[in-house]
Amino acid sequence: MRIKRRLVLFSVFCVITSFLFAQKKDAGISTNLGVSCKINTRNNIDFSQMSYFNNNASQLWFTFSDLSFNHKTNDHFSSEFHLRWVSHKLPNESYQQRQMAYYTAVFQFKIIPLGLNLDLKSRWQYSAIENHWNDSFKGPYFYHRFRLNLEKPINYHYKVSFNTEFFEPINRPTHAFVDQIRYTASISYRKNKYWSFALSHQTWQQIGSKNPYLYTFVGFATHYTF
């Protein structure tokens, strides 16, 4: 009971902090509904539907539909191939579309003395554009994204994690070397081998821009595995 009480208090703290320190137009909510199909012990297929709501969660801003094939080589290395469809709502109420393909390599380690799991995720991303987004450089987007994640299992049901992700534009001459950083803290609950749920606090910070944005989101995720 003590562990559950602490985790609930931590979750409430994340929610309150998000809205206290965010500007009104930047406070938002994100949702993630995911399904995994295990083919065998090394391979699985995932599908997730993600949505981001800004303006105090009053307006749908981004939607992501993601399909991936994942392969686990061993206890320390796994790889993923993703296809993603993105829709973005503009101030004039119109939507812009983008298709994305990317490969991700994940290196995983255990820090046994501290009881932590560490994973390093390196992602190479290509984006095709149907309707060009507002940018002086018109063309495909190539990005390298690097994420460092620390995870602390509490017991079979609960774990907390903290990660930082850096966005490096490869062919964006008008952007900084790293043009965005995302910070995420989350707590997840695994009910059984099928269902899991998570609550997160995420910050998006732009870098190298005259008018950099700073967005914060409280995230809710549900995942089913079969």
Side-chain angles (χ1 to χ4, degrees), residues 10 12 39 69 88 125 140 152 155 172 174 178 183 185 197:
F10 175 79
V12 173
I39 301 173
F69 175 79
H88 173 218
Q125 170 184 315
K152 173 65 175 178
N155 52 37
R172 309 289 287 163
T174 59
V178 172
Y183 309 95
F197 308 90

Side-chain angles (χ1 to χ4, degrees), residues 123 125 135 137 140-146 166-181 207-208:
R123 165 174 158 181
Q125 170 184 315
D135 199 295
F137 177 73
Y141 289 56
F142 293 91
Y143 265 90
H144 176 224
R145 293 166 60 166
F146 180 80
F166 302 89
F167 289 60
E168 177 193 352
I170 297 175
N171 70 329
R172 309 289 287 163
T174 59
H175 287 218
F177 176 72
V178 172
D179 67 355
Q180 186 182 147
I181 300 178
I207 295 176

Side-chain angles (χ1 to χ4, degrees), residues 24-28 53-59:
K24 182 178 179 181
K25 67 176 183 178
D26 296 334
F53 299 82
N54 63 353
N55 291 326
N56 284 338
S58 64
Q59 182 182 57

Side-chain angles (χ1 to χ4, degrees), residues 1-16 151-162 185-191 197-201 219-220:
M1 290 298 296
R2 183 179 298 177
I3 292 176
K4 290 184 178 179
R5 192 179 302 114
R6 290 177 179 177
L7 293 174
V8 169
L9 290 175
F10 175 79
S11 302
V12 173
F13 173 78
C14 287
V15 174
I16 294 175
E151 183 179 280
K152 173 65 175 178
I154 306 299
N155 52 37
Y156 171 82
H157 295 288
Y158 292 96
K159 65 182 177 182
V160 293
S161 64
F162 304 89
S186 66
I187 178 173
S188 62
Y189 169 72
R190 178 171 58 174
K191 183 178 181 180
F197 308 90
L199 173 66
S200 65
H201 169 265
F220 303 91

Side-chain angles (χ1 to χ4, degrees), residues 102-204:
Y102 59 93
Y103 170 80
T104 301
V106 184
F107 301 90
Q108 300 166 314
F109 307 92
K110 291 183 181 293
I111 307 176
I112 296 177
L114 300 178
L116 295 173
N117 297 327
L118 168 68
D119 69 75
L120 304 174
K121 179 176 285 190
S122 187
R123 165 174 158 181
W124 295 270
Q125 170 184 315
Y126 164 76
S127 300
I129 306 166
E130 286 184 356
N131 302 311
H132 287 300
W133 293 29
N134 296 328
D135 199 295
S136 59
F137 177 73
K138 305 298 185 181
Y141 289 56
F142 293 91
Y143 265 90
H144 176 224
R145 293 166 60 166
F146 180 80
R147 192 188 78 170
L148 173 65
N149 182 70
L150 279 174
E151 183 179 280
K152 173 65 175 178
I154 306 299
N155 52 37
Y156 171 82
H157 295 288
Y158 292 96
K159 65 182 177 182
V160 293
S161 64
F162 304 89
N163 70 67
T164 303
E165 187 172 19
F166 302 89
F167 289 60
E168 177 193 352
I170 297 175
N171 70 329
R172 309 289 287 163
T174 59
H175 287 218
F177 176 72
V178 172
D179 67 355
Q180 186 182 147
I181 300 178
R182 293 183 186 179
Y183 309 95
T184 307
S186 66
I187 178 173
S188 62
Y189 169 72
R190 178 171 58 174
K191 183 178 181 180
N192 49 44
K193 65 179 182 178
Y194 302 108
W195 288 100
S196 62
F197 308 90
L199 173 66
S200 65
H201 169 265
Q202 186 178 67
T203 300
W204 297 9

Side-chain angles (χ1 to χ4, degrees), residues 20-38:
L20 284 178
F21 291 94
Q23 297 178 16
K24 182 178 179 181
K25 67 176 183 178
D26 296 334
I29 287 177
S30 66
T31 61
N32 188 337
L33 302 176
V35 178
S36 294
C37 175
K38 285 190 174 182

Side-chain angles (χ1 to χ4, degrees), residues 49-64:
Q49 180 65 46
M50 295 165 283
S51 300
Y52 284 84
F53 299 82
N54 63 353
N55 291 326
N56 284 338
S58 64
Q59 182 182 57
L60 178 62
W61 186 34
F62 272 97
T63 61
F64 301 86

Side-chain angles (χ1 to χ4, degrees), residues 203-216:
T203 300
W204 297 9
Q205 181 180 4
Q206 189 182 36
I207 295 176
S209 174
K210 292 182 180 179
N211 298 298
Y213 57 72
L214 182 66
Y215 296 109
T216 60

